[in-house]
Amino acid sequence: MTTKRTGLPRILMEDRLHLLRALVLFAWGLLAAFVGIEAALRFHPDTQWPEMAGFSTTYNTLLAVFAINTVVLTALLVQRDWFERVPRSAEHRVAWLLHLVLIWLGLHLFFLFHSTGGLSGALGALPLLSVIAMLILLPGRAGWGFAIYMAAGYLLVTALAQAAFIHPEGALARAFAPEGLLFEWSWIALFAVALAVGLWGRGGWAGAIADAHPARRVDSGTGLFRAAFLQQRLQRELRRGRRQQSPATLLMLDVEEGRGGMSEAERVRPYADCLLAMIRLQSDTPAHYAAGRVALLMPATDAAAAQAFVQRLIGALQEAGLRLPRIAGAVVDGTVVEAQQWLAATEMALRETAEDGTLRLVRL
């Protein structure tokens, strides 16, 4: 029997959190630009802060709302427990939060583009830079979708201003004109943004955290996560389990015995394919832990559920004509345990396990 290969999810909770952090940092930079523009014009003796058509009130009201939203998002990200309290079945809702943040940032970028003078000075390149940034930050269709959203929004803002449906275009246009106070500074800011975008793009999206990058967290030979990513997940699941009083199981398979003369990928890949066809892809963490060793982290799984899963796994391995590996595991049930203790207990149980496919399970 040939086991159908199932790939790991490309986008995980860790990716969404990393992207949210990047967007919130961008929001703080945007907030500094809002405040800096107003401060420069209010305190410079040769310029006057525009008051026409209620511009000042509108500007400061939106600035206050933007600041409050940015502070709330920052608090959620700093207090990471908030995200870890999200049930496994509801983690996809974080994607909706991410979409809302992107739309919110886009709307404020449109406002900044319009209020600071539209196409005056260097800011005329802001739409193009924001599109490039989104194509780099967001993977796949998400990047193209948001790039289209940004481009359409800028065109709409410009069209509404030209048609006089919104307040006169460029309430700060004179400051960004060639003879204006902020003209040279806008070019410096543009260069800084372009440099930041270029540096970000060198490592690909989410490249700031090497182990979180999709191309680096997965072992290409086996199709499983790397051991370093498993270590990160172990810490997170231990914290989640203690708060929610939820059990978790770490299984380990030894597929090395009797498989001499084969490469590591050839030895492990058939077992990896069976695992990937059976596990919960959005919550379980299968990893190539070491040479000939495969680990599987199963959140919200007690001893009985782990036993039932192993029985199904043994049946799938036998059906695929594979030699039964040694299998052992350790169950944590809300107790205070370190990740290394969990791994050590699982490895010790594996060493004491018979080579007959029988599961040895210990409780911590």
Side-chain angles (χ1 to χ4, degrees):
M1 173 185 173
T2 302
T3 303
K4 182 180 178 181
R5 289 190 175 184
T6 304
L8 292 168
R10 291 185 64 251
I11 308 298
L12 302 176
M13 172 70 94
E14 289 83 354
D15 301 320
R16 295 188 175 113
L17 290 180
H18 177 73
L19 185 52
L20 277 172
R21 285 194 293 270
L23 292 173
V24 168
L25 287 174
F26 180 65
W28 280 112
L30 194 59
L31 188 60
F34 273 119
V35 175
I37 289 170
E38 182 170 353
L41 294 181
R42 281 188 179 274
F43 294 108
H44 196 277
D46 298 330
T47 61
Q48 183 177 3
W49 180 248
E51 300 286 350
M52 75 285 264
F55 170 79
S56 182
T57 302
T58 302
Y59 188 95
N60 288 318
T61 299
L62 289 177
L63 179 61
V65 172
F66 188 71
I68 291 171
N69 289 337
T70 304
V71 168
V72 169
L73 282 172
T74 303
L76 291 178
L77 288 167
V78 170
Q79 187 68 22
R80 288 189 53 141
D81 288 355
W82 183 87
F83 288 100
E84 293 177 359
R85 288 192 181 99
V86 177
R88 280 288 185 185
S89 59
E91 281 194 354
H92 64 280
R93 295 177 185 173
V94 178
W96 289 106
L97 174 61
L98 182 57
H99 296 156
L100 289 175
V101 170
L102 288 168
I103 293 171
W104 164 70
L105 279 174
L107 292 174
H108 282 276
L109 275 170
F110 303 151
F111 175 76
L112 178 65
F113 172 64
H114 176 73
S115 65
T116 53
L119 298 176
S120 300
L123 288 180
L126 181 60
L128 179 60
L129 280 176
S130 60
V131 167
I132 293 173
M134 290 305 108
L135 287 174
I136 291 173
L137 280 173
L138 298 173
R141 289 178 296 178
W144 287 106
F146 196 71
I148 294 171
Y149 162 66
M150 298 289 280
Y154 282 122
L155 290 174
L156 180 61
V157 167
T158 303
L160 289 176
Q162 294 295 332
F165 282 112
I166 53 180
H167 61 77
E169 180 184 7
L172 306 179
R174 283 176 296 180
F176 286 93
E179 68 280 2
L181 170 67
L182 301 179
F183 179 75
E184 292 183 0
W185 286 105
S186 65
W187 281 107
I188 294 173
L190 180 67
F191 175 77
V193 171
L195 180 63
V197 169
L199 291 175
W200 186 276
R202 286 185 62 186
W205 87 279
I209 300 179
D211 290 334
H213 194 289
R216 298 176 183 142
R217 66 172 172 231
V218 176
D219 177 25
S220 59
T222 62
L224 302 175
F225 292 118
R226 297 185 188 276
F229 185 74
L230 174 67
Q231 295 273 5
Q232 296 176 10
R233 276 283 177 92
L234 286 174
Q235 297 287 356
R236 178 184 169 192
E237 290 307 329
L238 285 171
R239 293 194 300 266
R240 183 198 293 265
R242 283 195 292 267
R243 279 192 303 273
Q244 299 182 356
Q245 291 299 300
S246 173
T249 298
L250 177 62
L251 297 177
M252 198 166 291
L253 286 67
D254 187 341
V255 302
E256 187 171 12
E257 296 297 330
R259 306 290 289 183
M262 302 177 70
S263 69
E264 181 68 10
E266 291 173 330
R267 180 188 305 127
V268 174
R269 187 70 200 223
Y271 294 89
D273 290 340
C274 283
L275 270 180
L276 292 173
M278 296 181 61
I279 64 174
R280 302 163 296 183
L281 288 173
Q282 292 299 328
S283 59
D284 296 344
T285 307
H288 185 202
Y289 178 66
R293 295 279 178 89
V294 173
L296 177 62
L297 171 61
M298 304 178 71
T301 303
D302 58 16
Q307 289 277 5
F309 172 81
V310 169
Q311 290 302 314
R312 295 195 304 273
L313 176 61
I314 289 174
L317 293 174
Q318 290 174 330
E319 190 176 355
L322 296 173
R323 181 178 182 273
L324 294 183
R326 291 190 297 164
I327 308 176
V331 181
V332 175
D333 196 358
T335 57
V336 179
V337 176
E338 296 297 325
Q340 290 303 322
Q341 292 177 275
W342 200 2
L343 282 167
T346 306
E347 290 185 279
M348 181 172 292
L350 187 65
R351 288 193 293 269
E352 299 171 356
T353 301
E355 299 179 22
D356 57 0
T358 302
L359 171 66
R360 177 178 174 81
L361 204 60
V362 298
R363 290 178 174 83
L364 299 179

